[in-house]
Amino acid sequence: LPSKEETAALKSASADGHTGGGESGGSASEAAGGEKLDNWCRIVRGILRDYNLVLNFVAIATYQWEPDRPGHTGQSLAALKNQIQSSTARTNIVSNDISRILTPTLSRQLTKKRIILSTTTTNNNNKPDDSKTMDESNNTETKEEIYTYEQIVSDPEVLQLNREQLCAEAIYKRQLVVSTMEQMCTCLDDYGKAEIGASDHK
C-alpha cells in the first residue's frame, strides 16, 4: 500500500490546488494533485482486487460438507466465513470510492460537426467538337456531413467533489484497509489454531 506520508500528501495537494497563486499556478497544482490521486487509486485498487481474490480461494480451501463437520469445526468455519464476508464488505467501501474516481459515469456527446460541399460537372453535349453550339452541362452539388462524438464525464462537478472527498479521507480509508487485512490475518491464525486443537482432541 502507499505509505502514510504519500497518502497524507493527497490532502495537502488538494488544498494547494484550490489555493494556488494565480490561474496557471492553481491549474498546475491541481494537475499534479490529480495525478497523485489517480496513481494512489490504481495502486490501492490493484491490491484490493488481489486481496479479495485470495479470500475467495480461502473460502474454497476451507470448504467442508455440513454433515461431516464436527461441532467445533463447524463453529470455526462459521466464524471464518463471517469474517471473510465482513472483510469483503469493508474493502468494497474503499473500492467503490475509487471506482467513482477512476471510472466516472460518461455520456456520448457530439463535439464536432463538419460539412463538406463538392460540385460535380456532367457534360451532356453529344455534338461534334467543331459544333458551334455551346456545351450543355449539369452541375451537381453534394453535401457530406461528418460528426465526431466523444465520451464526456456526465457530471464534472460531482466527479470533482468525489475527488476532494477521497483526498480528505484517504488516510482513513488506507487505515481501514490495513486494519481489515490485519484482522483477517488474525482470524486465519485463530482458525488454524482451532483446527489444530480440534485434531488433537480426536
Side-chain angles (χ1 to χ4, degrees), residues 124-136:
N124 294 328
N125 182 22
N126 296 322
K127 296 181 179 180
D129 294 340
D130 59 355
S131 174
K132 297 181 180 179
T133 305
M134 295 181 62
D135 291 344
E136 297 178 358

Side-chain angles (χ1 to χ4, degrees), residues 62-79 191 194-202:
T62 56
Y63 172 78
Q64 189 175 7
W65 181 241
E66 185 73 31
D68 296 334
R69 300 178 188 171
H72 185 78
T73 301
Q75 293 177 0
S76 299
L77 282 174
Y191 173 76
E195 288 296 291
I196 294 174
S199 61
D200 290 341
H201 288 83
K202 288 183 180 180

Side-chain angles (χ1 to χ4, degrees), residues 12-34:
S12 300
S14 175
D16 292 342
H18 292 287
T19 60
E23 182 177 353
S24 59
S27 299
S29 299
E30 289 179 5

Side-chain angles (χ1 to χ4, degrees), residues 40-157:
W40 187 91
C41 288
R42 293 188 184 98
I43 293 172
V44 176
R45 180 179 64 178
I47 292 173
L48 292 180
R49 284 177 174 174
D50 293 343
Y51 174 71
N52 287 327
L53 182 61
V54 170
L55 288 187
N56 287 325
F57 283 111
V58 170
I60 294 173
T62 56
Y63 172 78
Q64 189 175 7
W65 181 241
E66 185 73 31
D68 296 334
R69 300 178 188 171
H72 185 78
T73 301
Q75 293 177 0
S76 299
L77 282 174
L80 179 62
K81 179 180 178 181
N82 291 336
Q83 184 59 37
I84 290 176
Q85 292 176 345
S86 175
S87 179
T88 302
R90 278 178 283 177
T91 55
N92 282 343
I93 294 175
V94 182
S95 296
N96 292 336
D97 290 340
I98 290 176
S99 296
R100 285 194 288 267
I101 301 299
L102 297 181
T103 55
T105 303
L106 303 177
S107 59
R108 187 168 179 262
Q109 294 185 7
L110 176 64
T111 58
K112 191 175 182 181
K113 178 181 178 180
R114 293 177 57 196
I115 299 178
I116 301 175
L117 298 176
S118 60
T119 303
T120 304
T121 301
T122 304
N123 189 357
N124 294 328
N125 182 22
N126 296 322
K127 296 181 179 180
D129 294 340
D130 59 355
S131 174
K132 297 181 180 179
T133 305
M134 295 181 62
D135 291 344
E136 297 178 358
S137 61
N138 292 329
N139 293 330
T140 304
E141 290 188 353
T142 59
K143 181 173 71 172
E144 181 182 3
E145 296 183 354
I146 300 177
Y147 300 91
T148 302
Y149 292 88
E150 293 182 4
Q151 297 289 347
I152 306 296
V153 176
S154 299
D155 197 334
E157 293 182 358

